[in-house]
Amino acid sequence: MDQILDPSSLEAGHITYLRGIPVGVEALDMHGMADVVNALVVALLTEGHVLLEGNPGLGKTALVRALSSALGLGKQAVGRVQFTPDLMPADITGTQMPADDGSGRLDFRPGPVFCSLLLADEINRATPKTQSAMLEAMAEYQVTVLGQTYPLRHWRDAGRENYRTPFMVMATQNPIDQEGTYALPEAQSDRFMFKINLSMPGAEVMSRIIAKALKPLDGPQHRQVTVDDPAQVAAAGARLHEIAQSVLSVGLSPLVRDHINNLVQASNRHFDQLRGIGPARVSRLRELVERRVTYPLGPRAGMALARAAVGWAAVVLVEPARAAHATTAQTPRALAEILVPVLRHRIKISHDYTTMATPHAEAAALDDFIRELAVACAPEGPATGNYVEDFGSFLDRARKDIRL
């Protein structure tokens, strides 16, 4: 049995703090985004990145700034790159420039990637060459410019203990059917833990957005230029580091571990590597995969599912008072609730285009297939359990209630 590292390190205070983050974002006039905020927090705590897709005007840019404020990281923690067709890699990473003292020496001028929360806005409007400049930053938390490597995360002193500064990319992209967009390469899209489809807000949220738009603007005499307090920023960074270490110490339910393995193995047609599935179900699963899957899941999909399930169980599901001992028990439900946004950009399937008139219909069909595949891959578990049925119920509920 795999060792669970110090499960008691996840405390009630950690969970209470995490549950307050969506409330803090809501207080900054970002309405109806609790599920999206929770997914962003999960990614931040588990070293992931997030791809947000939606039409312009849904508040993607403002969301990132509100999240930084709610986390206590301050305005200086946010970097932004507006991707355009003429953007060059050096515009993101920085480059060597002549020193200001006129000596002729070249000094490195860091680009906007040097921050804690990077908003890569409309990433699919840039050419693939420029999009690929993000790969090293997202995978290794560093950039290399003219042979010199520069780290994006740093160890800082917060008094009693050191902490590592966070780094997360939140990339927005417009739907691929819009003019002037380039599809992300598979190697890059696979670096994102989640692909979240931002939908149009409902009537109640839309009313709040309209009310926000009609608020009078403050005059110059009422505007205050605030400067981030270094001590408060350090305390916020240290707290996030502590919580992230605690979240990643939580173990997966053994059935969830087998379930994730089955998803990856089945999509690659390695049916002899499945666990907890009887011959009749394997036969039906084989027919489903061979008929539909054209691009399978890779190992990174399994890692993302595991981390996302643990993170979602802690951030959203477990009761604070039971955080130390009950988070693992919530990972089956967590897997059902984060399954689709983790996998929708990693797997490709064949479609019956005679019945699909729009890209939206194609995306919905892919989400439905992921759910069908997940149920087919669910391990049966012990005779006294009902994992397959329970997971199916969690999945149905998530489809109705979770807006990701």
Side-chain angles (χ1 to χ4, degrees):
M1 180 180 293
D2 293 337
Q3 182 183 12
I4 298 175
L5 301 177
D6 192 17
S8 63
S9 64
L10 193 59
E11 302 172 358
H14 296 156
I15 305 303
T16 302
Y17 167 75
L18 294 173
R19 300 286 159 82
I21 295 173
V23 178
V25 172
E26 177 88 12
L28 295 171
D29 283 336
M30 295 302 303
H31 304 292
M33 290 193 169
D35 290 336
V36 177
V37 172
N38 284 328
L40 292 174
V41 173
V42 168
L44 182 64
L45 295 175
T46 58
E47 300 185 341
H49 309 284
V50 179
L51 183 62
L52 304 171
E53 180 171 292
N55 291 318
L58 292 178
K60 299 184 288 288
T61 304
L63 174 62
V64 177
R65 301 191 186 280
L67 177 64
S68 180
S69 295
L71 292 171
L73 297 177
K75 295 180 179 179
Q76 300 301 317
V78 178
R80 184 177 183 274
V81 180
Q82 178 63 53
F83 281 73
T84 59
D86 59 350
L87 191 75
M88 299 298 292
D91 297 327
I92 300 170
T93 62
T95 190
Q96 300 282 355
M97 298 289 289
D100 294 333
D101 59 11
S103 64
R105 185 184 72 254
L106 293 178
D107 288 341
F108 178 66
R109 302 285 180 86
V113 73
F114 287 85
C115 62
S116 293
L117 303 177
L118 177 66
L119 176 64
D121 211 1
E122 298 186 301
I123 190 173
N124 61 334
R125 290 209 180 276
T127 61
K129 176 181 179 180
T130 302
Q131 292 174 5
S132 67
M134 301 293 297
L135 278 174
E136 184 183 14
M138 295 171 63
E140 302 178 39
Y141 301 102
Q142 65 182 32
V143 296
T144 302
V145 178
L146 299 177
Q148 181 68 39
T149 299
Y150 302 91
L152 297 174
R153 302 182 70 184
H154 305 275
W155 286 99
R156 297 280 189 256
D157 184 4
R160 290 181 301 173
E161 59 183 21
N162 294 335
Y163 72 96
R164 198 178 188 193
T165 58
F167 176 76
M168 180 172 70
V169 174
M170 287 152 289
T172 72
Q173 73 172 9
N174 294 325
I176 196 63
D177 56 306
Q178 291 191 356
E179 299 252 348
T181 59
Y182 300 83
L184 294 181
E186 285 83 359
Q188 184 175 357
S189 62
D190 197 37
R191 299 286 179 182
F192 290 101
M193 172 176 278
F194 298 115
K195 179 186 176 185
I196 297 173
N197 292 336
L198 293 180
S199 56
M200 282 295 296
E204 181 180 349
V205 173
M206 194 68 211
S207 296
R208 296 179 186 176
I209 293 173
I210 293 171
K212 172 185 173 182
L214 294 176
K215 286 183 178 179
L217 297 176
D218 290 336
Q221 68 274 18
H222 297 295
R223 296 178 185 171
Q224 296 181 352
V225 178
T226 58
V227 178
D228 296 338
D229 183 341
Q232 292 181 358
V233 171
R239 187 170 198 177
L240 283 173
H241 178 81
E242 176 189 348
I243 295 175
Q245 296 298 106
S246 298
V247 167
L248 290 176
S249 75
V250 174
L252 278 178
S253 161
L255 285 174
V256 172
R257 191 185 300 271
D258 288 347
H259 197 169
I260 293 172
N261 170 75
N262 289 351
L263 280 162
V264 177
Q265 300 291 356
S267 73
N268 285 274
R269 296 169 168 79
H270 295 166
F271 300 105
D272 61 328
Q273 298 297 314
L274 302 180
R275 296 175 178 175
I277 303 180
R281 290 183 63 210
V282 169
S283 178
R284 292 192 295 271
L285 178 57
R286 182 192 300 271
E287 192 276 332
L288 174 67
V289 170
E290 293 183 346
R291 177 169 50 89
R292 299 293 303 278
V293 175
T294 61
Y295 188 89
L297 301 171
R300 198 172 288 120
M303 293 187 290
L305 282 170
R307 290 192 168 200
V310 166
W312 191 265
V315 171
V316 179
L317 298 179
V318 72
E319 296 178 14
R322 305 182 64 205
H325 305 288
T327 305
T328 295
Q330 294 292 337
T331 53
R333 178 180 168 187
L335 179 65
E337 294 186 355
I338 54 83
L339 175 83
V340 172
V342 171
L343 297 186
R344 61 161 58 106
H345 56 299
R346 304 175 192 272
I347 190 170
K348 293 183 179 179
I349 64 173
S350 59
H351 293 281
D352 180 5
Y353 288 101
T354 61
T355 62
M356 294 182 187
T358 65
H360 176 75
E362 182 177 334
L366 175 60
D367 289 356
D368 287 342
F369 174 80
I370 291 171
R371 297 183 185 99
E372 182 181 4
L373 178 67
V375 172
C377 289
E380 293 161 5
T384 57
N386 296 294
Y387 180 86
V388 178
E389 293 79 6
D390 290 344
F391 181 81
S393 298
F394 292 145
L395 202 57
D396 289 340
R397 202 178 313 163
R399 182 173 187 170
K400 299 174 185 176
D401 299 338
I402 306 298
R403 295 174 60 86
L404 294 175

